[in-house]
Amino acid sequence: MTLDPQPLTGTHIRLLAGQAASGRPVHEVLPARAVESDLFELAGSPGMVLGCAAGDVLRVADDGHFEIVEHGENLCVQAAGPGQLSLESFVELSEAVSRLGGMTEAPPNVRFIVVTVARTVGIPTIERVMDAWAAGVDEVEWWFGKGDHADASA
């Protein structure tokens, strides 16, 4: 479980998350391990980018577009509400995900939560855990940032 921001050391990559209302690109910077000049293995699951998870090997273009070259063993689940989530809800989800062998991360203000869990756990089990957690948190939504049905490139 990680609440504190990690220092930007080692290799990081910039992935395209989408576009702002102004039309400007929005990027997310993620920790990674260089495999080749344009290939990187993600060391953490994203909070905004869809289609990848920790352990995936990506080919990354200069503009942040990416292609999954090799799928890793993890799925990524993202959760957010209209505002800040409570520390208590973060801890509750962390404990439930930890029982699945996964981990949760969030920025210090807990505006969103990222879950990384092995795909072998299975989508139905992950859905049950996420639905049970979300039922106790006002106005929270969750989605697979990368699941077996969301393995598309961004």
Side-chain angles (χ1 to χ4, degrees), residues 16 20 30 35-36 57 63-64 77 80 83 94 111 120 136 143-144 154:
L16 183 64
L30 294 162
V35 176
E36 290 179 17
V57 176
D63 67 358
V77 179
S94 295
R111 286 191 49 221
T120 56
W143 56 93
F144 282 97

Side-chain angles (χ1 to χ4, degrees), residues 25-149:
V26 175
H27 293 91
E28 182 172 2
V29 177
L30 294 162
R33 179 182 66 83
V35 176
E36 290 179 17
S37 64
D38 67 340
L39 290 180
F40 300 88
E41 180 181 351
L42 278 179
S45 291
M48 296 186 309
V49 173
L50 297 174
C52 58
D56 287 348
V57 176
L58 311 177
R59 176 169 284 113
V60 182
D62 289 340
D63 67 358
H65 280 89
F66 67 92
E67 165 191 6
I68 297 176
V69 174
E70 182 180 329
H71 294 284
E73 65 181 43
N74 296 311
L75 300 176
C76 171
V77 179
Q78 300 162 336
Q84 183 173 335
L85 296 167
S86 72
L87 181 57
E88 293 78 20
S89 67
F90 175 78
V91 170
E92 181 184 326
L93 181 58
S94 295
E95 289 171 354
V97 168
S98 140
R99 288 190 290 274
L100 301 177
M103 65 178 271
T104 55
E105 300 174 276
N109 63 6
V110 197
R111 286 191 49 221
F112 61 87
I113 298 172
V114 178
V115 173
T116 303
V117 64
R119 70 175 52 252
T120 56
V121 169
I123 288 191
T125 299
I126 296 166
E127 288 174 335
R128 278 193 298 277
V129 167
M130 295 303 299
D131 285 343
W133 169 76
V137 182
D138 288 339
E139 299 183 61
V140 72
E141 294 184 38
W142 69 268
W143 56 93
F144 282 97
K146 178 195 174 200
D148 287 345
H149 56 283

